[in-house]
Structures are given as structure tokens and as C-alpha cells.
Amino acid sequence: MSGLPLRVYVNEQPFTLPAGSTVAAALAVFDPALAAGTPPTVTDGRGIALPLDAPLTGGAIVRVLRAGRNTNEGDAPA
């Protein structure tokens, strides 16, 4: 990979990555445990799904969508 470093944003956090980096590389910097586990749903700033091997450009916005937790487990009617 050559060229100028890329400034990208993952869930609003800025990161500087080498030119030619992919979505997977951004995830690895953002959260190594997340990148090593089951692949999350990832979108661009417009909500369009991104494959993990998609190349990034400077200023890219990446959003990681995590599964929500059910916080109402004990609230079911009797």
C-alpha cells in the first residue's frame, strides 16, 4: 500500500489508516475483538451495507451496527 494515509471515521471516532485499507482493517483498529468475532453489519454514512473487503477512501464514514440487547426480559406479563 502506498500513498497518503487515510483519515476515516468508525462510529464517529477518527482513525488514520494506511492508503488502500479496507473496512476490515478499520474494524480491527476500532475494536480488535469485534473484528475477530462474528462479522458485524457495517454501513457507510448513508446506511448502505459495506462488505468487509471494500476499500476505503479518505473521509469515509463507517458505522458498525451491533445487535441490540433485550432489556425487558423480566417484564413479561404474568
Side-chain angles (χ1 to χ4, degrees):
M1 291 183 234
S2 63
L4 296 175
L6 304 174
R7 188 68 159 178
V8 299
Y9 300 85
V10 182
N11 285 9
E12 300 178 7
Q13 294 180 26
F15 295 95
T16 301
L17 300 172
S21 291
T22 63
V23 172
L27 290 181
V29 172
F30 171 69
D31 184 347
L34 178 68
T38 303
T41 301
V42 181
T43 68
D44 67 8
R46 301 168 293 166
I48 298 172
L50 291 172
L52 295 178
D53 62 350
L56 295 171
T57 58
I61 297 171
V62 177
R63 293 196 172 113
V64 180
L65 307 177
R66 300 178 195 222
R69 295 182 187 175
N70 185 357
T71 57
N72 298 323
E73 290 177 3
D75 294 341

